[in-house]
Amino acid sequence: MEKIRLALVEDDPEVRALLHAYLCQQPELDCVIVAGSAEDFLQQLTEVRVGPQVVLLDVQLPGLSGIEALPLIRQRLPEADVLMQTVFDDADTIFQALRQGATGYVLKSAALTEYKAAVLDVARGGAPMSPAVARKVLAHFKPLPQTQPGLLTEREQAVVQGIVDGLGDKQVAHRLGLSAETVRTYVKRVYKKLQVSSRTELVSRVVRGN
Amino acid sequence: MEKIRLALVEDDPEVRALLHAYLCQQPELDCVIVAGSAEDFLQQLTEVRVGPQVVLLDVQLPGLSGIEALPLIRQRLPEADVLMQTVFDDADTIFQALRQGATGYVLKSAALTEYKAAVLDVARGGAPMSPAVARKVLAHFKPLPQTQPGLLTEREQAVVQGIVDGLGDKQVAHRLGLSAETVRTYVKRVYKKLQVSSRTELVSRVVRGN
DNA sequence: GGTGTTGTACCGCATTTCGGGGACGCATCA
DNA sequence: TGATGCGTCCCCGAAATGCGGTACAACACC
């Protein structure tokens, strides 16, 4: 079994030293790069002959943030997997990172053994992430079977159309010759059916391909 | 803490009995339905007053398969989470199930405690799934489409992106590390620049192509 | 004959959004 | 040097929205 070539990008010197000491002593791992910033990492990348297979990248970094650096790194290392690490269990940030091509993430509160597990997981083809993020991810690409089938009734679709056109409840009501209160009822029903909780969500879901 | 209402759909009588015995004896769980087939389950569903919050659904079922039944179940129980269980760690099958709206899955080789953990995970908003599947899911991600530049500043575009993603001001503020008030300022400016007067107008304008 | 779904309409309450402001610092440009 | 644009933050008040209900008639499916 070959060692997994690992890169560490972490600005906090203490954390960096700790991770470095622990991870690099693991028999399965081989730290090829240890950097304090994204810029530093990209620089060092040009100096090594063989790049890392896994990059452990902090989200909060001075200069280029982890998320900003992600596309650059992936451009340089298309074959590598990037594992984000963050202090906050912030689903939205992580989600953005995943969209940029991260393969998973670890919370900084994680134990060292968890770090190791995550790295190995990624290297084995996994994608470590927290429950909340996983759910978010599913919801995204699982674009609910609506619009086409009779999920929404005619009236409901008409209301949705109005909303997508940028109208308010009153305007929709006027367009359809209904009471504004009735429109509100429809909107609420549609929200439930499509599992959204705001107009903006509704519109973006409908206007993108569901 | 209320009990999680659970439904069990499993054709093998032995496995069913085992799961039933174990899960229903858990203090956190309450089995409201135990069925041997999807048809059976849907039938029983009409007979209970309050439906399950989590459905543990076998993929391999006589008659309607789990995957075929999924859309029907989700139509009936839009609020419920469906947890698939399968013998094979077949990423492709599971992937399909997830697209149909499953919230996660358990391998049948899992220990009873893992079953329980998965159910609780789902009920807590998680999405239990295997590494391989998670990775497959991530692979289906594309970078976001960019809005055309010129008129809006970077910051303004970032705010718009958040709005298009269905976020509220606070969420956008958090994503960008700003005050919600600042986000409001941007939103107002964007409204002026694009001559719109509501989020929905903004979103439909941007997503269409101006 | 019950149960569910749809269409219609209403109420109340908490939060968000919208449209006006003002304010400060820092650029750049005239 | 003053004007203008941009980034950041704040306040107020009115309107819209989100979320929880209730209500009833019509119809349909069992």
Side-chain angles (χ1 to χ4, degrees), chain B residues 77-140:
Chain B
L77 293 169
E79 314 272 320
D81 290 318
V82 179
L83 202 47
M84 306 296 287
Q85 55 172 328
T86 173
V87 190
F88 310 107
D89 191 1
D90 173 3
D92 211 52
T93 304
I94 300 297
F95 191 61
Q96 272 201 304
L98 294 180
R99 318 191 62 142
Q100 299 292 318
T103 324
Y105 80 99
V106 211
L107 288 182
K108 281 209 177 173
S109 59
L112 287 174
T113 54
E114 292 184 68
Y115 267 89
K116 180 184 171 184
V119 172
L120 296 181
D121 189 3
V122 167
R124 246 186 296 107
M129 61 176 117
S130 87
V133 174
R135 176 69 70 103
K136 227 172 165 359
V137 167
L138 285 190
H140 275 60

Side-chain angles (χ1 to χ4, degrees), chain A residues 168-170 184 188-189 191 197-199:
Chain A
D169 287 347
K170 286 184 187 170
R184 287 164 66 70
K188 284 187 280 192
R189 285 182 184 167
Y191 281 4
S197 58
S198 78
R199 317 202 134 209

Side-chain angles (χ1 to χ4, degrees), chain A residues 8-28:
Chain A
L8 227 56
V9 189
E10 163 64 54
D11 59 316
D12 185 325
E14 276 186 50
V15 178
R16 188 170 64 234
L18 189 65
L19 285 175
H20 187 190
Y22 175 76
L23 292 175
C24 298
Q25 124 195 346
Q26 301 302 317
E28 304 93 332

